[in-house]
Amino acid sequence: MFDVDVDLRRGGVRVATAFRSGGGATVLFGPSGVGKTSVLDMVAGLVRPDAGHVRVGGVTLFDAAARIDLPVERRRVGYVFQDAHLFPHMTVRRNLLYGARSDARLVETAAMLDIAHLLGRWPRTLSGGEARRVATGRALLSEPAFLLLDEPTASLDGSRREEVLRAIERVRDELRLPILLVTHDRAEAERIGEVVMM
């Protein structure tokens, strides 16, 4: 599903990678600071590569040679950042529905991510793991063609980390949505990834 070959130079720093993978979850694994998040940003369309291409599910999102560069809003990407970025003035329910076309899949999505009991809560009352699952739900309810997850368990303790990993596994196994996930944790990469790129 992912066909990525990108090259980015900023000052004296170069981020370059090339990989292809089928459906399911693809994991970019490696230490912090090597450019994994920059690759996600290029796939999402937040950063423009200097060269190469990005194709997801056979759709060309970026191709330097062909001068194709779809804007973010046309890429149908669900991006869950390392910081959940929930709106503090909205309840969990309103956060989940922000950007959704309708509330038709709210109950199903909340149940799958085990956040149905949180719908009336405010973001400030959530644990780190709960906030990440809500952010994932919001991304899913926007009906994306694929999902990008940036260090989804960073800074979480053991039990919260496990909650998030189980939620990602359910998304991977039940929705069969292509996932590109970044992590520096080898055990997490091996558990989630059907393809692991180092």
Side-chain angles (χ1 to χ4, degrees), residues 22-139:
T26 302
V27 175
L28 299 181
F29 166 72
S32 298
V34 297
K36 300 184 304 296
T37 297
S38 294
V39 173
L40 287 189
D41 289 346
M42 287 186 271
V43 172
L46 299 175
V47 173
R48 187 180 192 281
D50 297 315
H53 66 261
V54 175
R55 298 183 185 101
V56 182
V59 177
T60 299
L61 307 179
F62 174 81
D63 190 318
R67 297 185 179 178
I68 296 170
D69 188 9
L70 291 184
V72 178
E73 64 272 15
R74 290 187 51 211
R75 294 192 183 203
R76 295 192 56 216
V77 55
Y79 198 150
V80 182
F81 298 91
Q82 194 171 137
D83 179 345
H85 292 298
L86 299 179
F87 298 109
H89 63 291
M90 294 182 179
T91 62
V92 165
R93 179 188 177 89
R94 288 183 59 209
N95 265 282
L96 285 166
L97 292 175
Y98 186 85
R101 293 190 178 124
S102 76
D103 64 358
R105 294 178 50 239
L106 175 63
V107 172
E108 170 191 350
T109 301
M112 180 177 61
L113 297 174
D114 193 23
I115 54 174
H117 62 291
L118 303 175
L119 294 179
R121 300 251 306 265
W122 297 94
R124 68 179 175 275
T125 70
L126 303 178
S127 70
E130 290 168 339
R132 300 266 173 85
R133 286 182 283 142
V134 171
T136 302
R138 182 175 58 191

Side-chain angles (χ1 to χ4, degrees), residues 133-154:
R133 286 182 283 142
V134 171
T136 302
R138 182 175 58 191
L140 292 174
L141 286 167
S142 71
E143 299 180 31
F146 60 99
L147 196 61
L148 303 178
L149 302 172
D150 188 10
E151 297 280 3
T153 64

